[in-house]
Amino acid sequence: TRKESSAASDVYKRQVLGKAGRGSGIMPELEALMDKFIRKYYLSRESYHKRGTYQKFEKFCKKVGYMRIPSEKTFGRRIDKLCPKKVIEARKGWSEARKEFRCVLNKRDNVTFMEEYQIDTANFNLGIKERVGDKFYFLGCVSINFCFEPYSGSVPGYSIQIGNSGEQSGFIVNTITHALSVKSDPNYIQSGIPLKILMDAGPGYIAKSTRDFLNVVGCDYDVTPVRSPWLKGAVERFIKHVRDTFFRGIKGYLGKYNPDEYTDISVKKAAHLTVEQFSSMFANFIKEYHNTPLERLNGLTPNEAWRKGLATYLSLIHISEPTRPLYI
């Protein structure tokens, strides 16, 4: 509805088209200095806690004469953005990190129905805009969190982010919740708790809040090392399929991200779709995909393969409350 659309818009960080955004306000040399002190005093075996690390940093800044020293809260947020697995590796060693995050190093082939969901996030070079009065606001580019079931080639759940390309725990949890839940659309039949979730070591995936959620719903998980996409190849191949068959046909899509060619101005200028238009188009794409025969499924559609799997899987458990993908 119009009211819901307006309420959803309020959570976006708007940028007026054609105007430059704001930076962090911290001098680059201070940002580099924060990183140096975090590496030296926090990411080490003989490590300080957050406060102790900040006190070291603050004392040094006062000594050399910096007038505007970042606050302890700002310093702490910088630490909080670190990959949790990397933090444990640095502070406690690789074996402890592997034990904590259940690392897997083997490729998954020939999985059975509901043996696992593979989850991943992809960023797409497509700008989204919004009109308020006589002005257009650039909301940012599209990122989608995918949950993929390899046996049936299905997408039990997803969530869409606008303007934030980071892998945040809240979006990851929403994606998994959408996958586990019975959908309000009776034709969207994919749902249920798998034996385990396979995810990479990105901060949002292995955050404590994400792992706590999986523990509460009774779903095990495995973690692949970073930069090892072949270990969750099914969802990676699906993301490539989405780029090739969905995004390339959309007006305003500028192709796969290339840092040598990318500029904020070009993305803003090409922005064509609103949130509602894009989310509706993507929902229709998922519906059509689930009803398309696939060669890898021997001519079955993902819906047919899902029903075939259900015939041999008698103890499928769902989250009872229907959900829908989150758009933020």
Side-chain angles (χ1 to χ4, degrees):
T1 66
R2 185 180 298 274
K3 184 176 180 181
E4 289 173 334
S5 174
S6 175
S9 311
D10 293 339
V11 301
Y12 295 120
K13 182 179 179 181
R14 296 191 181 106
Q15 297 180 43
V16 180
L17 287 176
K19 293 190 177 181
R22 301 190 316 178
S24 65
I26 302 173
M27 294 186 297
E29 56 265 37
L30 273 176
E31 290 189 334
L33 191 61
M34 282 195 288
D35 290 339
K36 180 179 178 179
F37 271 75
I38 289 170
R39 286 194 302 270
K40 183 175 181 180
Y41 294 105
Y42 188 76
L43 297 176
S44 66
R45 297 299 287 268
E46 303 296 330
S47 55
Y48 287 75
H49 293 297
K50 286 184 186 178
R51 170 158 290 187
T53 306
Y54 176 75
Q55 288 172 345
K56 287 278 188 181
F57 168 75
E58 184 182 38
K59 182 178 180 180
F60 179 84
C61 288
K62 289 179 178 178
K63 181 179 179 180
V64 299
Y66 282 111
M67 300 298 294
R68 297 182 62 186
I69 303 173
S71 68
E72 183 175 350
K73 186 176 181 180
T74 298
F75 192 87
R77 283 199 298 265
R78 204 170 187 88
I79 290 177
D80 291 339
K81 290 180 180 179
L82 297 171
C83 172
K85 180 172 174 289
K86 293 296 184 183
V87 170
I88 292 181
E89 282 182 2
R91 292 168 67 89
K92 298 182 180 181
W94 183 82
S95 60
E96 286 297 316
R98 183 176 183 182
K99 184 189 304 181
E100 175 73 17
F101 294 103
R102 310 177 195 179
C103 295
V104 296
L105 302 175
N106 59 307
K107 185 176 179 180
R108 303 296 239 282
D109 291 317
N110 302 318
V111 295
T112 57
F113 180 64
M114 293 298 283
E115 180 178 341
E116 69 182 26
Y117 286 166
Q118 297 182 10
I119 58 176
D120 201 5
T121 300
N123 305 316
F124 300 96
N125 213 4
L126 176 73
I128 300 295
K129 67 180 183 178
E130 176 189 39
R131 182 169 186 167
V132 179
D134 59 349
K135 292 184 178 180
F136 281 100
Y137 291 89
F138 177 69
L139 303 181
C141 289
V142 172
S143 297
I144 303 179
N145 306 291
F146 296 94
C147 183
F148 193 80
E149 201 283 318
Y151 172 88
S152 65
S154 293
V155 186
Y158 64 91
S159 65
I160 298 173
Q161 300 172 220
I162 306 295
N164 190 331
S165 59
E167 299 168 349
Q168 298 182 22
S169 177
F171 292 108
I172 305 305
V173 169
N174 181 266
T175 304
I176 298 171
T177 302
H178 185 233
L180 306 187
S181 305
V182 176
K183 312 301 189 289
S184 56
D185 180 355
N187 296 312
Y188 197 157
I189 62 174
Q190 288 78 5
S191 65
I193 301 176
L195 293 179
K196 65 178 57 180
I197 297 281
L198 185 65
M199 55 191 182
D200 65 32
Y205 292 103
I206 60 176
K208 185 176 184 300
S209 53
T210 302
R211 290 180 286 126
D212 286 347
F213 172 78
L214 290 173
N215 290 333
V216 167
V217 299
C219 185
D220 202 354
Y221 63 89
D222 281 340
V223 178
T224 66
V226 294
R227 293 183 290 276
S228 304
W230 58 89
L231 296 177
K232 46 182 176 58
V235 68
E236 295 285 349
R237 287 190 293 272
F238 178 72
I239 289 172
K240 183 180 185 303
H241 173 77
V242 172
R243 290 188 191 278
D244 292 343
T245 62
F246 176 69
F247 276 92
R248 285 188 179 176
I250 296 179
K251 180 180 179 181
Y253 178 56
L254 300 185
K256 195 169 183 179
Y257 174 78
N258 183 341
D260 296 328
E261 300 177 359
Y262 173 87
T263 66
D264 284 337
I265 294 175
S266 61
V267 173
K268 290 179 182 180
K269 186 176 180 180
H272 174 69
L273 297 173
T274 65
V275 176
E276 291 77 12
Q277 289 170 334
F278 176 80
S279 60
S280 177
M281 288 174 63
F282 190 73
N284 288 334
F285 167 78
I286 293 295
K287 181 178 180 179
E288 182 179 347
Y289 167 78
H290 279 160
N291 287 282
T292 300
L294 301 180
E295 183 178 345
R296 65 174 290 265
L297 299 177
N298 297 317
L300 295 178
T301 68
N303 275 355
E304 289 169 340
W306 186 275
R307 292 189 180 96
K308 179 181 176 182
L310 283 176
T312 59
Y313 201 101
L314 304 179
S315 58
L316 196 59
I317 301 173
H318 311 265
I319 291 180
S320 58
E321 289 296 323
T323 61
R324 61 178 182 175
L326 179 65
Y327 309 102
I328 290 184

